[in-house]
Amino acid sequence: MSAADIARALPAHLDWPLRFVHPEKSTELARLSVGASDIEGAVAAALGLSAEDVRAQRALIDDQVRSSARLLLEDARVAAACRRLPFLPGQTIVALGDSITDDSLSWAYQLEAVLQQVYAVDAPSVVNAGRSGDTTADAIDRLDLVLAHEPDWVIQLLGTNDVRHHGDRRIFSTGQTGTNLDTIAHLLVDVGGVRLIRMTPPPVAADVVHAATAAPGIGLRWSQADLARIGRHLLRSDPAVVDLHTPLLPRAADLLDPDGLHPNVDGHREILRLLLLSLGAADSVEEMPA
């Protein structure tokens, strides 16, 4: 179930569907090298908007991303951490994830905006390879597309959709998800030669999600305990994994959209804050010159 499907059960917010409608990321179209500009008219028509309206609303979303990045860099701890980031000028970073990453307001787009401000020249580029609705199994199926970008780094945020319940049935067991996550790491690191950074799934407001999807009969449920179990698996396999679930859980209600599942712009900024503080904490990384 994609973010757009869930959005139909929510009060209408004009920019909400636009944040998650990126059909060019579908495996079939991506393998045909279809870009966003190629299908802009079709996306506008599907949303009942003009192409000009779509461009204008996306420009407003981009403004929110840049404003959030500027706000983040006003934090002295974050600014200091950004001077110790491990990314070299000109490198390529791929953000691999589901709708939390795919979101046009996401931590991945905010990361790109931060890097453009932090690096004086030749800032690392960020490729957003988030795709709404993806499970860890879906991500494995498209790792060839990820590696086609020849990334130096992959930052992974996956697992939220693996714990999705349709009614009483959960689509994956924790063991299946763990195996998939280990497979992704093997294919990216051991086979692809990529440096991998992983984050645990963030918390959700499970009762809000269930209420939002109950009316149209979707019957989706998420369990906080299931998300925590995936996080523990990741942390056991790699202590360097960035834990999002534990620090964000007490503030989840303020950091989520009305669907109870997707972070709002503040939530994405907090995800990125935790990521940057973790990456900039390594003693072995030299500080970039001012």
Side-chain angles (χ1 to χ4, degrees):
M1 186 64 58
S2 71
D5 294 320
I6 296 174
R8 282 193 278 270
L10 301 172
H13 296 287
L14 200 53
D15 69 340
W16 215 91
L18 270 178
R19 286 168 50 189
F20 302 96
V21 176
H22 305 116
E24 70 277 5
K25 291 185 180 180
S26 72
T27 304
E28 295 80 5
L29 293 182
R31 290 198 173 118
L32 291 171
S33 299
V34 174
S37 61
D38 299 317
I39 53 176
E40 180 181 67
V43 169
L47 295 173
L49 301 170
S50 69
E52 291 76 15
D53 286 339
V54 168
R55 287 193 290 271
Q57 289 182 50
R58 285 189 166 152
L60 292 174
I61 291 172
D62 291 343
D63 286 343
Q64 291 183 67
V65 167
R66 288 189 291 270
S67 296
S68 186
R70 287 193 296 269
L71 183 61
L72 188 56
L73 286 171
E74 291 176 4
D75 183 322
R77 290 178 63 222
V78 173
C82 285
R83 292 194 291 271
R84 298 189 294 270
L85 292 176
F87 313 127
L88 297 177
Q91 287 190 326
T92 298
I93 304 163
V94 170
L96 174 63
D98 48 39
S99 56
I100 295 175
T101 300
D102 186 32
D103 186 350
S104 294
L105 288 175
S106 83
W107 64 269
Y109 288 116
Q110 293 192 36
L111 171 61
E112 183 174 46
V114 164
L115 295 179
Q116 288 172 351
Q117 295 184 58
V118 168
Y119 286 73
V121 293
D122 204 13
S125 61
V126 180
V127 177
N128 191 321
R131 194 175 69 174
S132 293
D134 261 18
T135 63
T136 53
D138 295 318
I140 291 172
D141 184 53
R142 61 187 180 92
L143 287 182
D144 61 312
L145 295 172
V146 171
L147 291 172
H149 292 287
E150 299 184 351
D152 301 283
W153 301 81
V154 169
I155 305 178
Q156 170 194 300
L157 178 49
L158 285 166
T160 298
N161 285 320
D162 286 43
V163 308
R164 188 175 68 221
H165 288 69
H166 290 252
D168 294 328
R169 183 177 294 275
R170 178 176 160 184
I171 59 174
F172 289 142
S173 68
T174 303
Q176 287 173 303
T177 298
T179 298
N180 289 345
L181 290 169
D182 294 344
T183 299
I184 291 169
H186 168 68
L187 292 174
L188 289 177
V189 177
D190 300 328
V191 178
V194 170
R195 297 185 69 177
L196 177 63
I197 299 165
R198 297 187 288 180
M199 297 186 280
T200 71
V204 301
D207 54 340
V208 176
V209 180
H210 184 60
T213 61
I218 300 172
L220 299 183
R221 291 192 298 110
W222 269 261
S223 164
Q224 209 75 266
D226 288 341
L227 289 168
R229 274 191 285 272
I230 291 178
R232 287 195 294 272
H233 171 86
L234 283 166
L235 289 164
R236 281 195 302 268
S237 64
D238 180 4
V241 166
V242 181
D243 183 16
L244 302 179
H245 191 271
T246 303
L248 296 183
L249 184 58
R251 297 182 292 152
D254 296 326
L255 300 176
L256 292 167
D257 273 330
D259 67 341
L261 180 64
H262 296 93
N264 55 32
V265 68
D266 296 331
H268 282 297
R269 186 169 61 252
E270 291 308 304
I271 288 173
L272 182 55
R273 184 192 306 276
L274 292 169
L275 174 64
L276 293 172
L277 290 175
S278 177
L279 293 177
D283 294 335
S284 60
V285 180
E286 295 185 3
E287 187 164 314
M288 291 190 299

